[in-house]
Amino acid sequence: MIRKKWLPPLRIIGSAFEMTLRQNVYDSFIIFGVIVQPIIIALLALWMLQDQASSQAIYVIIGSGMTGLWTSLLFISGNSLNQERRRGTLETLVCLPTPLPLIIFGKNLANVIQSMSSMIVSYSLATLFFGLRFEISYPWAFVISLLLTVFSFVSFGLIISPIFLMDPGIQGWQNAMEFPVYILCGFLFPIALLPGWTTPFSYILPPYWAARALHSATTKGASLSEFALCWGMMVLLSALIGFIANKLFQRVLYKVRNDGTLGLQ
Amino acid sequence: MNAIEVEHLRRIYVTTIGVIRRSTKEIVAVDDISFQISQGELFGLLGPNGAGKTTTIKMLTTLLIPTSGTARVLGNDIVRDAKHIRPVIGFIFGGERGLYWRLSAIDNLRYFSSLYHVEPEVSKKRIPYLLELVGLKDRGNEKIEGYSRGMKQRLHIARALLHDPKVLFLDEPTLGLDPVGAREIRQTISDLQAEKKTILLTTHYMFEADALCQRVAVINHGLIVALDSPEGLKKQVKDLSVIELEVFGIPQRVLGQLRSISSVDAVSIENRDQKQLLQIHSPHGSEALSEIMTCLKGLRVGKVAVREPTLEDAYVRLVRDTK
């Protein structure tokens, strides 16, 4: 049974989750980012890999799904605080008894769960149009990896939105931040193909461990230690990011209240 | 204990100008203001645009950090104890923004009530009650994007009351509303005051402050220039008479001549369709009329009336004197 003190935060996360999803269904940019763009990426990759084994194509299913997750996180979750500012709702949210990171957590969760649909779209595309068959070698590990992927992406999103709120100039770099993560996190091909000096950058990004865990769950012969490493890194990095995000929120909210930039004039 | 205590509150905005040769400019929005509001009092903050009303409210609602001075809401410091203040206050800022337009009114209220930690069983009863209170009972399921400005404003009031706050901050709640909508909002504010809520209302509609507020502070250029009951403020201009004249196409030159008359205190003009209403403040009342009529010679003049000063006249004098 859920303890009583956890009920209000869970209710808040649930409420933010529900209202975000209800608003997103009307947003064509979001629909493009989480469905159309991953379809284009999946189509191109599947076309290139159609003569390869099915094991190669599974990279595409998971990889294109991950691209949808990252795009959603970077653009939708990243913009969420600035969007609230433009709507004039940020002042209301800050003046609530609820901590703002909790609301953003619920919003990010909605965006990430919604983006999972891109993985389903890619899967349907590969099976229906390219006749590829996939097997998930370790279904239990796949489910755990998927849950931890959601958690690590949601946590990662908590650090992006306050940075964009603090300095909208950084938001101008959003487009430049999209593809490097696709590559560094091995969404579409293994990072072993990249120069060695890029590996440390991959290791500090939670999406890399998420992609590695999901790829391992679909590959025969993956060891338990491999899963343990990926899951452990996801939990560790998410906890670290959560801690930094909390501090960042405090500083950013103090700064915007001090500068008088919480609302648009 | 006072509900709100403000002591020497000051807020300076710093802006930067230029790209290569950057320089900073300081704008004093609120300049050393002090006042107290008793529990259950409806207190008005009057002032022209840019006087510092919204900045004061934003500081008191913990959204803006003061440059210096202190303020307490129900005994809690606005900087140190912000998290204790937020659950007990409600606020609305004038305008249409601040709501989720793609959601219905009920969904907006449902969302905010969970963020205000209102128990679901309570909010199930409170949301229909509030929608009825603000006259939106039959439109609650519609998306807000189809609402008129007045309806959005009324929904803001419902949102601010979700958690039954003890103190309410209303920043120009009737701004831009049609007369009927504005009257309904004033009635709602009056009802809230009857419930013994402490209300800080900002407005630049004098009749609104006169009708609703127990005490009024007039603020201009960030300074409080007067603080009294509406009756008390009117007494400050008791010596004045207001001469109102309907004129048609009065030139600026004539206005200048009127202002230079020694027995004239202030001259203001208001456009009303094809005519203009000329308001002249004078301590000499109808005795000044002959000099005024001499200045207006050759111009078409309609109705002429001499009346007692209102709160608006007191406000005009106070604001003019601090320019």
Side-chain angles (χ1 to χ4, degrees):
Chain A
M1 201 179 119
I2 299 166
R3 286 178 66 186
K4 206 175 176 183
K5 74 169 187 175
W6 288 104
L7 272 175
L10 288 177
R11 200 179 291 140
I12 288 160
I13 291 171
S15 206
F17 175 85
E18 182 197 345
M19 295 305 164
T20 305
L21 273 189
R22 294 178 120 190
Q23 290 178 88
N24 284 358
V25 292
Y26 299 105
D27 197 322
S28 53
F29 176 79
I30 293 173
I31 291 164
F32 180 85
V34 301
I35 297 178
V36 180
Q37 184 173 296
I39 288 178
I40 295 168
I41 292 172
L43 267 175
L44 288 171
L46 285 167
W47 179 71
M48 288 192 304
L49 295 169
Q50 60 185 326
D51 297 330
Q52 306 271 326
S54 288
S55 61
Q56 290 281 342
I58 195 75
Y59 243 98
V60 176
I61 303 298
I62 294 167
S64 61
M66 301 291 276
T67 62
L69 282 182
W70 173 240
T71 299
S72 156
L73 196 75
L74 181 64
F75 287 91
I76 305 161
S77 299
N79 287 351
S80 61
L81 281 176
N82 276 327
Q83 197 183 23
E84 298 282 1
R85 173 149 66 179
R86 283 192 294 274
R87 276 194 198 122
T89 43
L90 185 59
E91 288 180 326
T92 314
L93 295 183
V94 170
C95 201
L96 290 167
T98 299
L100 192 58
L102 207 59
I103 301 169
I104 300 301
F105 189 92
K107 287 167 73 80
N108 286 357
L109 186 65
N111 293 330
V112 168
I113 297 277
Q114 175 187 257
S115 306
M116 287 284 179
S117 57
S118 57
M119 230 179 253
I120 298 164
V121 170
S122 304
Y123 179 81
S124 313
L125 209 66
T127 47
L128 294 173
F129 296 98
F130 290 87
L132 294 166
R133 287 184 63 240
F134 306 106
E135 277 179 22
I136 295 172
S137 308
Y138 306 97
W140 57 274
F142 189 82
V143 171
I144 296 171
S145 301
L146 206 58
L147 290 173
L148 284 173
T149 297
V150 171
F151 179 67
S152 62
F153 268 77
V154 169
S155 306
F156 200 33
L158 284 177
I159 216 165
I160 301 172
S161 52
I163 292 173
F164 287 174
L165 178 71
M166 186 171 62
D167 189 353
I170 298 175
Q171 210 173 344
W173 292 86
Q174 252 173 336
N175 286 325
M177 289 154 90
E178 194 179 13
F179 272 82
V181 171
Y182 290 178
I183 295 162
L184 282 173
C185 294
F187 287 169
L188 296 168
F189 51 83
I191 63 159
L193 298 173
L194 298 173
W197 60 267
T198 62
T199 311
F201 294 105
S202 300
Y203 285 176
I204 57 165
L205 294 169
Y208 163 73
W209 297 102
R212 185 165 153 177
L214 288 171
H215 286 315
S216 300
T218 56
T219 315
K220 277 185 183 145
S223 64
L224 189 63
S225 59
E226 168 67 8
F227 289 122
L229 174 69
C230 295
W231 297 342
M233 286 305 287
M234 275 195 269
V235 171
L236 185 72
L237 288 172
S238 298
L240 188 66
I241 284 170
F243 176 77
I244 296 168
N246 194 36
K247 295 283 172 202
L248 197 62
F249 263 99
Q250 284 173 15
R251 291 199 72 159
V252 169
L253 287 178
Y254 185 87
K255 187 182 183 300
V256 291
R257 282 168 64 216
N258 199 37
D259 295 349
T261 53
L262 202 50
L264 290 177
Q265 299 302 315
Chain B
M1 186 181 72
N2 287 317
I4 297 171
E5 290 169 326
V6 176
E7 286 164 25
H8 304 292
L9 207 60
R10 196 170 147 85
R11 170 71 207 195
I12 299 170
Y13 289 103
V14 180
T15 55
T16 51
I17 310 161
V19 180
I20 298 165
R21 285 185 183 175
R22 284 169 81 90
S23 61
T24 56
K25 188 184 169 190
E26 288 192 347
I27 299 158
V28 182
V30 171
D31 194 2
D32 197 10
I33 61 167
S34 301
F35 61 89
Q36 287 84 37
I37 303 175
S38 311
Q39 295 209 15
E41 185 179 2
L42 205 165
F43 185 90
L45 205 52
L46 288 185
N49 291 333
K53 304 185 297 288
T54 301
T55 301
T56 304
I57 280 214
K58 286 198 173 172
M59 285 191 280
L60 294 176
T61 51
T62 77
L63 293 173
L64 194 60
I65 293 172
T67 308
S68 64
T70 56
R72 284 176 296 279
V73 177
L74 297 172
N76 299 298
D77 185 89
I78 56 167
V79 180
R80 284 197 313 271
D81 311 319
K83 67 177 180 183
H84 297 300
I85 294 176
R86 289 168 184 170
V88 291
I89 63 166
F91 68 90
I92 67 161
F93 295 125
E96 297 181 275
R97 295 163 72 238
L99 295 162
Y100 296 96
W101 287 25
R102 286 173 178 167
L103 300 177
S104 69
I106 288 176
D107 283 341
N108 266 277
L109 294 180
R110 219 157 48 80
Y111 182 39
F112 281 114
S113 67
S114 75
L115 301 183
Y116 272 117
H117 303 183
V118 180
E119 289 295 323
E121 307 85 63
V122 178
S123 67
K124 263 181 204 160
K125 289 176 192 157
R126 191 141 178 91
I127 290 170
Y129 162 74
L130 289 172
L131 285 173
E132 189 162 0
L133 180 80
V134 298
L136 292 172
K137 195 178 83 174
D138 301 327
R139 308 282 300 266
N141 284 313
E142 291 174 31
K143 271 193 227 164
I144 291 175
E145 59 192 5
Y147 276 22
S148 68
R149 190 185 174 105
M151 289 164 76
K152 285 175 194 145
Q153 197 74 316
R154 279 184 275 153
L155 186 59
H156 271 298
I157 292 183
R159 197 258 307 142
L161 294 172
L162 275 168
H163 55 305
D164 198 16
K166 291 180 180 144
V167 182
L168 272 170
F169 296 90
L170 309 176
D171 190 12
E172 302 189 6
T174 56
L175 185 73
L177 297 188
D178 62 71
V180 177
R183 195 169 57 187
E184 285 170 1
I185 298 257
R186 279 197 292 276
Q187 184 56 51
T188 309
I189 295 169
S190 190
D191 294 344
L192 291 169
Q193 212 265 322
E195 288 180 28
K196 295 287 171 208
K197 295 209 181 291
T198 307
I199 302 172
L200 173 55
L201 168 81
T202 76
T203 180
H204 46 223
Y205 299 132
M206 301 307 122
F207 63 93
E208 193 165 279
D210 201 1
L212 294 170
C213 301
Q214 287 147 344
R215 283 191 309 143
V216 170
V218 178
I219 186 168
N220 196 23
H221 298 302
L223 291 159
I224 289 184
V225 295
L227 199 166
D228 209 334
S229 63
E231 290 310 313
L233 287 176
K234 279 184 236 174
K235 275 184 194 159
Q236 291 188 21
V237 285
K238 209 177 169 187
D239 57 316
L240 271 186
S241 287
V242 182
I243 304 161
E244 288 184 337
L245 302 106
E246 276 181 7
V247 288
F248 298 83
I250 186 166
Q252 283 296 322
R253 172 183 54 81
V254 178
L255 287 175
Q257 285 173 1
L258 286 168
R259 285 189 181 109
S260 66
I261 298 173
S262 59
S263 57
V264 166
D265 237 24
V267 177
S268 63
I269 191 136
E270 195 180 299
N271 287 319
R272 289 189 176 175
D273 298 325
Q274 290 166 346
K275 61 191 172 193
Q276 294 145 311
L277 182 72
L278 191 61
Q279 291 188 319
I280 299 171
H281 291 191
S282 168
H284 301 286
S286 50
E287 289 167 28
L289 207 52
S290 61
E291 272 187 281
I292 291 165
M293 293 311 284
T294 310
C295 282
L296 297 174
K297 203 173 176 183
L299 287 172
R300 192 177 150 202
V301 179
K303 285 180 200 163
V304 178
V306 180
R307 62 165 174 81
E308 292 289 303
T310 60
L311 183 61
E312 184 162 354
D313 301 315
Y315 167 83
V316 168
R317 182 192 247 193
L318 287 162
V319 169
R320 191 207 59 201
D321 289 349
T322 54
K323 269 186 181 168

